[in-house]
Structures are given as structure tokens and as C-alpha cells.
């Protein structure tokens, strides 16, 4: 049983660490031009017909990046929580050849920006779950605390992933409908949704580890109670037997 608790805690710790790695890679994609961050982005669009825009543009959490001949992102100065808002002064600063759905709408701006703080919160609770996961291999309470932290991280990760997926899928459809080839970044969305799955698995494993500990505890207690009852019952039967021999 103890071996099972250790294994469940270790597996929960492994999946939590995997989720955090994927979340950090997505968060830092486009923050600089080093590998593999220069290959992680949310949306790539052919913007060659937009004045002042690069031939290919990629959106990340940090900026709008051009694409070099090797197919890698070339990003400039980074700004945290960079919005998806093509006509604004932050991006192209023009409405020429911009899909009409983006013009005069705050939907894409707000949805893309709200996903960033939710991801930060998910990372915070995920890191807490990672550290408490070491206790999950040893104690029942550690398993339950780790499971709670992982559930909170999972909730915020689902919100962040759903928001960022919805806004960039809509954006891709708008650009494609406007005759500008657009495609999603498979790495970033693959990382985000895989992190959701990893956090869910870690939650289940931590809960199972806690339940294994509870069974052990309850089993030990029942055994002690049985031994106590056995001791007193034997004392009583010896006393009755002695009385019978003294008073036949």
C-alpha cells in the first residue's frame, strides 16, 4: 500500500511537471528569437497586402513577429499580454485590407488579453501543486493538498486555453474569409490542451494517492480495535472459568 501511494504521488508529480513545462513554453513563445521559442505562436497570417506589415505575421503573447526565410519568428521588442487587435496602433495601425470584423470591435482585444492573467494564475497554482507533490508521496494530506492545487490550476488553465483557442480560431476564419491565408500554431495549442490533460491526470492520481492512505489508516485502526476486544474478552473468559472452578 505504501508503495502504491509513493508511485501515485510520483506519477502525479510527473504529470504536473509536464503540464508546467508545456504551459511555460506556450507563455514564453515569441518572447525572444531563440529555439524553440521562435517556433511557438498562436496564428500565422499572410499580411503582404497590408501596408507596413510583414509578408507573414505571427501573433504570440508578447508581440507580433515577422517570419524569416527559415520559417522562424523574428520578433522585436516584447510586451506582456500582447493583444490580438490587427487594426489598432499596437499592430498595423491601419484598416486597409483588414477584415471588417476586426474594425470597431473590442471582442478580439479583450478576449486575447484576458487569457494571459488566467494562464499566470494557472501557473502559480500548478507550481504550488508541484512542490506539495513531494509530500504526496509520503502523506495522505499531501496528496489531497496537491490535488486541490492541481484542480485550481486545471480550472484556470481550461479558461485560458478556451479563451485563446476561441479568439484565434475566429481570427483565422476572418482572415481566410478575407482572402488572406491564415493558420493556427499547432505547437502552442497542442501544448495548451495537452497541459489541460496532464493537470487532469495529476488531479486523479493525487486523489487516488490520498484514498490509498485513508484505507491504510482505517485498516490499521480496525486491527488495533480487534486486538483490544480480543484482550478484554480473553480476560473475561478466564475470570468466568476461575469462578466456575471455585464454585462448582
Amino acid at each position: 500500500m505504501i508503495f502504491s501511494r509513493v508511485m501515485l504521488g510520483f506519477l502525479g508529480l510527473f504529470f504536473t511537471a509536464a503540464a508546467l513545462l508545456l504551459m511555460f513554453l506556450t507563455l514564453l513563445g515569441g518572447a525572444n528569437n531563440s529555439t524553440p521559442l521562435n517556433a511557438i505562436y498562436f496564428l500565422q497570417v499572410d499580411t503582404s497586402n497590408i501596408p507596413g506589415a510583414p509578408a507573414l505575421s505571427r501573433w504570440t503573447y508578447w508581440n507580433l513577429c515577422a517570419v524569416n526565410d527559415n520559417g522562424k519568428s523574428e520578433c522585436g521588442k516584447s510586451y506582456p499580454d500582447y493583444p490580438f487587435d490587427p487594426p489598432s496602433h499596437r499592430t498595423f495601425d491601419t484598416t486597409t485590407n483588414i477584415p471588417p470584423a476586426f474594425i470597431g470591435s473590442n471582442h478580439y482585444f479583450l478576449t486575447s488579453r484576458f487569457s494571459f492573467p488566467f494562464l499566470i494564475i494557472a501557473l502559480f497554482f500548478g507550481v504550488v501543486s508541484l512542490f506539495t507533490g513531494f509530500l504526496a508521496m509520503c502523506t495522505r494530506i499531501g496528496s489531497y493538498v496537491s490535488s486541490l492545487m492541481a484542480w485550481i490550476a486545471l480550472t484556470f488553465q481550461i479558461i485560458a486555453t478556451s479563451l485563446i483557442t476561441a479568439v484565434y480560431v475566429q481570427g483565422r476564419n476572418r482572415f481566410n474569409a478575407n482572402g488572406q491565408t491564415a493558420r493556427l500554431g499547432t505547437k502552442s495549442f497542442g501544448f495548451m490542451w495537452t497541459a489541460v490533460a496532464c493537470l487532469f491526470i495529476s488531479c486523479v492520481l493525487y486523489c487516488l494517492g490520498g484514498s490509498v492512505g485513508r484505507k491504510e489508516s482505517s485498516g490499521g485502526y480496525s486491527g488495533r480495535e480487534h486486538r483490544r476486544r480480543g484482550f478484554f474478552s480473553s480476560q473475561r473468559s478466564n475470570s468466568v472459568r476461575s469462578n466456575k472452578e471455585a464454585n462448582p
Side-chain angles (χ1 to χ4, degrees):
M1 285 297 186
I2 294 177
F3 180 72
S4 298
R5 188 199 306 159
V6 171
M7 287 302 299
L8 290 169
F10 175 78
L11 288 174
L13 193 65
F14 172 80
F15 281 102
T16 302
L20 288 173
L21 175 62
L22 296 174
M23 292 158 69
F24 273 114
L25 285 174
T26 306
L27 176 68
L28 298 176
N32 59 52
N33 297 321
S34 61
T35 304
L37 302 182
N38 59 0
I40 300 172
Y41 58 91
F42 292 117
L43 182 68
Q44 176 180 293
V45 182
D46 180 359
T47 54
S48 56
N49 62 347
I50 298 177
L56 286 175
S57 299
R58 288 176 175 174
W59 276 266
T60 71
Y61 266 132
W62 298 92
N63 43 34
L64 180 77
C65 305
V67 182
N68 60 26
D69 295 336
N70 297 321
K72 303 298 183 180
S73 300
E74 288 188 349
C75 306
K77 188 175 181 180
S78 296
Y79 301 92
D81 201 5
Y82 189 84
F84 180 46
D85 191 15
S88 75
H89 67 279
R90 301 177 185 85
T91 310
F92 301 129
D93 197 19
T94 182
T95 58
T96 303
N97 294 325
I98 298 293
F102 293 111
I103 301 172
S105 172
N106 290 324
H107 165 69
Y108 302 92
F109 173 84
L110 294 174
T111 306
S112 60
R113 296 207 81 171
F114 269 111
S115 67
F116 187 84
F118 282 118
L119 178 58
I120 296 298
I121 297 172
L123 280 169
F124 171 78
F125 284 102
V127 170
V128 174
S129 178
L130 180 70
F131 283 109
T132 58
F134 290 99
L135 297 176
M137 294 188 289
C138 308
T139 64
R140 187 173 71 253
I141 188 65
S143 296
Y144 287 134
V145 170
S146 298
S147 179
L148 175 61
M149 296 298 104
W151 276 115
I152 297 174
L154 173 64
T155 301
F156 284 101
Q157 175 66 9
I158 289 174
I159 295 173
T161 305
S162 299
L163 287 174
I164 208 69
T165 301
V167 71
Y168 280 108
V169 167
Q170 292 171 0
R172 178 201 60 183
N173 295 340
R174 299 293 182 268
F175 277 112
N176 283 330
N178 200 45
Q180 295 159 297
T181 304
R183 63 184 179 88
L184 298 175
T186 54
K187 290 184 178 65
S188 58
F189 289 104
F191 290 166
M192 291 286 275
W193 284 108
T194 303
V196 169
C198 288
L199 285 173
F200 176 77
I201 294 172
S202 67
C203 291
V204 174
L205 290 171
Y206 285 139
C207 284
L208 290 175
S211 65
V212 166
R214 183 174 58 196
K215 290 176 182 177
E216 290 173 0
S217 176
S218 62
Y221 181 77
S222 298
R224 288 193 296 271
E225 286 297 310
H226 178 73
R227 288 193 297 272
R228 291 195 194 101
R229 288 195 298 268
F231 173 77
F232 287 112
S233 61
S234 61
Q235 289 279 2
R236 182 178 178 183
S237 37
N238 288 336
S239 176
V240 171
R241 190 178 302 111
S242 299
N243 288 337
K244 287 183 178 180
E245 290 175 354
N247 301 294

